[in-house]
Amino acid sequence: MGYGSRGDVEPLAALGLALRRLGAEVRVCAPPDPEFAGLLARAGVPHVPFGPSVRSVVTRPDPQPSDAFRLAAELVAAHFGAVAEAAEGCDAVVATGLMPAGVRSVTERLGIRYVFACPHPFGMPSSHFPPAGRPGRPAPPGADLRTLWKVDAERVDALYGEPLNTHRAAVGLPPVDDVRAHVLTGRAWLAADPVLGPWQDLTDLDLVQTGAWLLPDERPLPDDLTAFLADGEPPVYVGFGSMAMRGAPGAARAAVEAVRAQGRRVLVGRGWAGLAPIDGRADCLAIGEVNHQALFRRVAAVVHHGGAGTTTAAALAGVPQVVVPQIVDQPHWAARVAELGIGAAHDGPTPTTESLSAALALALAPAVRTRAAAVAGDVRTDGATVAARLLLDGTGGQPPLPA
């Protein structure tokens, strides 16, 4: 189960497919958004919807801090409701996405295995980087990393502690006094590629790194997109996925103008931000959700928000990338792309024509394309199968197959 954006749900679809191929029965609890139902249908796994639509949450006008507390309580209730019902008769539950506070309690009550997995290590306590922002009491001025992570744990408790312990008491379980540690366990799984996302010396926890969980995609590209690609030099793709960016029209204008400044055609991925062309010129095409595995191999560069899935897809395609990070793990992926020499990290979440054009100029350099192609050969594609074998072996099911 997982609650979050496409980057949280698509890996679960990939794991579900890998488990099915090894003979296991699978069901996936995920938000009710239609695009997530489509992902799971492609993997051939039943979809158990829970919680509110993620798009309705992230595109809500004028969001307030109190919204996070209401959502936390709603999700915990769903963990003990729809998710618990789906877990009946199962051997194990794999939980990911937005703090799955109640899921471990469900597995305790049922007496089955619980695994917490994450596509990045940046929500784990660390002596190397600070936690991402959460609503709650502010940290003391000048606080060190140890204090910041302590405050983060207190914020998690404030969000989830009361609803979690209320539901635990109702099913006869004792209270939890550290929700974050309870959810993460002492040995979480990291569903990230070892080349792109090494975790050693990043977090203070012990992790099991499986590689990224990638869902195969055999869908053909739409006819209008195929025709556009064939009608000139490879374009630059610009898309921000599930990010409902504030000021999206300005970001779209900056992106299109920056790409044109580099003498390139441009593909605009509409995404949840609703990006659109800025004029009717023939060098720009807006597209919806398409097969990125096929598309990225045919573009000059990928400009994106730095989600774990898009970063991995671009790296696997061997195409240079420009990361315009918005939240949570995305600044870290941007830094890693720059460190590996496979693209450029934009400075900050709000691109201008000048700033994005400069980053694109770096990414489009021949040496970067050569480096991106070389790194692509080191990116693993078997992460979901590795995780599936580990899961089945650990639950007494079918033993792992030979590597």
Side-chain angles (χ1 to χ4, degrees):
M1 65 76 61
Y3 186 87
S5 67
R6 182 184 181 124
D8 297 294
V9 177
E10 185 164 339
L12 292 180
L15 178 61
L17 177 60
L19 284 163
R20 284 186 58 242
R21 287 175 172 173
L22 293 176
E25 295 181 45
V26 185
R27 61 188 67 130
V28 176
C29 298
D33 302 72
E35 48 265 71
F36 301 157
L39 281 173
L40 296 170
R42 276 174 45 206
V45 295
H47 175 208
V48 180
F50 79 99
S53 156
V54 174
R55 185 185 285 234
S56 72
V57 172
V58 303
T59 60
R60 181 179 298 153
D62 192 28
Q64 302 296 321
S66 58
D67 295 340
F69 289 85
R70 284 193 294 270
L71 178 61
E74 185 174 356
L75 291 179
V76 170
H79 296 158
F80 283 86
V83 176
E85 184 177 346
E88 293 280 353
C90 293
D91 296 302
V93 177
V94 178
T96 186
L98 185 64
M99 191 62 63
V103 182
R104 188 174 181 184
S105 301
V106 169
T107 63
E108 284 182 56
R109 183 178 64 82
L110 295 175
I112 61 178
R113 188 180 182 195
Y114 166 82
V115 175
F116 174 78
C118 190
H120 62 83
F122 303 112
M124 315 282 186
S126 173
S127 55
H128 300 275
F129 56 83
R134 296 186 204 269
R137 77 173 184 87
D144 59 14
L145 289 177
R146 182 184 180 89
T147 302
L148 291 175
W149 281 103
K150 181 175 182 294
V151 171
D152 179 70
E154 293 169 354
R155 290 173 177 169
V156 173
D157 289 339
L159 282 165
Y160 296 96
E162 182 177 350
L164 173 62
N165 286 325
T166 297
H167 285 281
R168 283 177 65 87
V171 295
L173 295 174
V176 169
D177 59 8
D178 185 339
V179 176
R180 190 185 67 194
H182 173 76
V183 169
L184 299 184
T185 76
R187 196 164 173 78
W189 288 11
L190 177 59
D193 183 77
V195 172
L196 299 176
W199 63 271
Q200 292 80 0
D201 300 326
L202 281 181
T203 176
D204 300 336
L205 300 183
D206 187 20
L207 303 181
V208 176
Q209 187 161 26
T210 63
W213 301 349
L214 305 176
L215 181 65
D217 196 342
E218 303 298 330
R219 294 174 299 164
L221 297 176
D223 291 343
D224 61 339
L225 175 55
T226 300
F228 181 83
L229 291 169
D231 195 34
E233 292 298 312
V236 170
Y237 172 85
V238 179
F240 297 104
S242 302
M243 293 292 99
M245 298 173 65
R246 309 301 173 195
R253 176 169 293 278
V256 171
E257 291 177 347
V259 173
R260 285 172 172 167
Q262 296 301 315
R264 299 281 180 167
R265 301 186 301 152
V266 57
L267 281 172
V268 176
R270 296 187 185 92
W272 286 8
L275 301 185
I278 62 175
D279 53 37
R281 289 172 55 179
D283 66 343
C284 182
L285 178 69
I287 58 174
E289 195 276 316
V290 300
N291 180 347
H292 283 173
Q293 294 170 25
L295 174 61
F296 286 179
R297 292 194 293 268
R298 301 184 61 180
V299 300
V302 175
V303 178
H304 63 99
H305 57 296
T310 310
T311 302
T312 303
L316 188 59
V319 62
Q321 45 190 306
V322 175
V323 182
V324 185
Q326 303 296 305
I327 58 173
V328 192
D329 58 317
Q330 296 165 11
H332 299 280
W333 291 114
R336 183 59 178 161
V337 163
E339 180 183 14
L340 283 170
I342 60 175
H346 183 270
D347 184 13
T350 307
T352 66
T353 300
E354 293 75 19
S355 65
L356 194 53
S357 182
L360 263 174
L362 291 173
L364 291 169
V368 175
R369 174 164 286 279
T370 299
R371 174 63 178 160
V375 170
D378 296 326
V379 177
R380 294 179 56 172
T381 59
D382 63 345
T385 300
V386 169
R389 289 171 175 161
L390 285 172
L391 190 64
L392 292 176
D393 186 44
T395 58
Q398 181 176 335
L401 302 175

